Amino acid sequence: MTVAPPPISVIGVNHRTCPDSLRERLYVDDSEVAAVIGTLRIRGVREALVLSTCDRVEVTAVFQDGPMAPLTVATALGAPVGLRGDELVPYLYRHDGGDAVRHLFRVASALDSQVVGEPQVLGQLKAAQRLSQDLGAWGPSLDHVLQAAYAVAKRVRTETRIGEGAVSLAAAAVARVQDLHGDLSERCGLLIGGDELALMVARQLRAAGLHDLTVLDRFRRRAAVTAAELEAHHGPLDDLAGALDRADVVIAGLGAGRYLITAETMEAVLRRRRRRPVFLLDMAVPADIEPAVHRLDEAYVYDTGDLERVTREGRAGREAEAARAEALVEEAVAAFDQNLAVRDAGPDIARLRNHLEAQIRDGIGDGPDADAIARRVAGRLLHAPSETMRRRAAAGRLDDETRGLIAELFGLDAARGTAGGAEGDGK
């Protein structure tokens, strides 16, 4: 018998399924999670986790009404930004049961991120769990799968070098900035948008001593959240011209679909800066910086391809590590499924043990040690049968026919009819 998958689903949008302009509107700040979970609760959802990052906005939950789950999530996410649920539903992806487990394992292991191996997503997932717990929306189904996700993420981090690729790209960017500007303690930076690799570079620049940083975004709310994390200033994208004049380092990670920084704009900026050099890093897809900016003196432009060429391992090495990480995830998914199957045998074993203890107590009569003797004898007699049932469950062979045979051999069906009271009250 195929064991039923865990009763969870993951529903949301990410960088592959939803236009950036829409996904950015759906971003859920920590202060807004309570409203989203409140809407889910109204529709019968008792366990729910809301994960909102630059890459994704998704809800992991136990849904009582499976067919209505996408509309439920769309309504919860869309309401704060004035979107009707039916407008958002076409952009949603959905993973159920085993597919949901695999998805969560890949997310926790940074295999589903725009920058594979980026280390921030695991912390974001744990922070989302804490919020869910604080709001009373945590439960055993979510806890079981999230603990398993954290375990596989740790294996991926310690048994592969997948994280080194993302970190090495960010480190290469910081090294190039220091080659140009030297000591960063008197330099100013500008972060446009919130692409994961752009954020990593910004974090490492701050750690390397970058004096001042400003975050600009199309959405003030997201700019404020990013700035709070980086201990930076923030503002709207309309402030770009003035911010460029002050910036010695520009990290572009918006992917606006048009060039935010053109050669004409940058030439004017350099004149106002009296030709003081600027390092520009374009992390966006599509690009935020016009290619013609490369030709300007004192404008030093790098993109991810340039950074890959100055790192030792390059794309091929990261892809090999990613393949190893994917294999670890598949191994963990199989182990999780097996563990669920073994747990599925638990009620059958408990029922059989209760029945046998009751039979032994009836046989030995009342006495001061009757309960202890019954438990000890039943434990010894059922040790081998219990292990066999667990093995069959793990192999998917603890089916209804096998359960029926066990019930017939031990008289469990008869016990329900004639001795149900003994089993029911656990004497």
Side-chain angles (χ1 to χ4, degrees), residues 83-327:
L83 280 174
R84 298 196 318 272
D86 58 350
E87 293 179 295
L88 181 55
V89 165
Y91 297 99
L92 297 177
Y93 54 79
R94 175 176 184 170
H95 303 290
D96 298 307
D99 288 338
V101 171
R102 178 176 290 102
H103 175 79
L104 286 168
F105 285 9
R106 296 187 75 250
V107 168
S109 302
L111 291 171
D112 197 57
S113 300
Q114 290 191 63
V115 181
V116 174
E118 56 89 8
Q120 279 71 43
V121 67
L122 185 59
Q124 292 165 333
L125 196 56
K126 290 181 177 180
Q129 176 184 338
R130 288 192 293 272
L131 268 176
S132 181
Q133 290 171 325
D134 291 344
L135 293 168
W138 200 246
S141 296
L142 288 183
D143 193 69
H144 184 53
V145 71
L146 262 295
Q147 294 306 318
Y150 299 151
V152 70
K154 182 177 181 180
R155 283 197 67 192
V156 167
R157 191 169 61 251
T158 56
E159 297 180 28
T160 76
R161 298 166 61 194
I162 190 171
E164 294 181 14
V167 173
S168 64
L169 286 178
V174 173
R176 300 289 82 75
V177 172
Q178 289 173 321
D179 287 345
L180 178 64
H181 289 305
D183 182 10
L184 301 180
S185 62
E186 298 299 323
R187 302 296 178 178
C188 296
L190 171 63
L191 172 62
I192 307 171
D195 170 271
E196 283 293 349
L197 185 53
L199 279 171
M200 286 187 67
V201 173
R203 291 184 190 104
Q204 293 208 21
L205 282 170
R206 291 294 268 168
L210 183 67
H211 169 66
D212 196 17
L213 180 66
T214 298
V215 179
L216 302 184
D217 206 324
R218 285 181 292 199
F219 298 95
R220 280 184 176 271
R221 180 178 58 175
R222 194 172 71 172
V225 171
T226 304
E229 179 194 342
L230 296 170
E231 298 182 352
H233 311 291
H234 67 89
L237 202 56
D238 293 342
D239 293 346
L240 180 59
L244 283 172
D245 287 349
R246 297 186 298 273
D248 302 297
V249 183
V250 178
I251 312 162
L254 190 60
R258 60 183 177 84
Y259 294 130
L260 297 176
I261 302 174
T262 64
E264 181 181 1
T265 298
M266 201 63 213
E267 175 59 35
V269 167
L270 288 168
R271 283 199 303 270
R272 290 193 294 271
R273 287 174 57 87
R274 297 180 180 274
R275 314 309 294 188
R276 284 184 292 117
V278 181
F279 183 98
L280 300 106
L281 182 61
D282 197 345
M283 302 277 90
V285 179
D288 285 336
I289 300 175
E290 185 181 23
V293 175
H294 288 252
R295 297 195 294 269
L296 299 177
D297 291 339
E298 309 307 333
Y300 297 83
V301 184
Y302 281 72
D303 60 21
T304 52
D306 297 321
L307 295 179
E308 284 178 344
R309 283 189 285 275
V310 299
T311 58
R312 291 182 179 180
E313 305 224 7
R315 185 183 301 274
R318 287 195 301 280
E319 288 177 351
E321 292 302 307
R324 290 182 59 204
E326 293 281 9

Side-chain angles (χ1 to χ4, degrees), residues 12-31:
V13 297
N14 65 16
H15 58 281
R16 289 186 294 270
T17 68
C18 181
D20 290 346
S21 57
L22 176 57
R23 192 178 77 251
E24 289 163 355
R25 288 180 64 191
L26 296 174
Y27 182 87
V28 182
D29 183 45
D30 286 355
S31 63

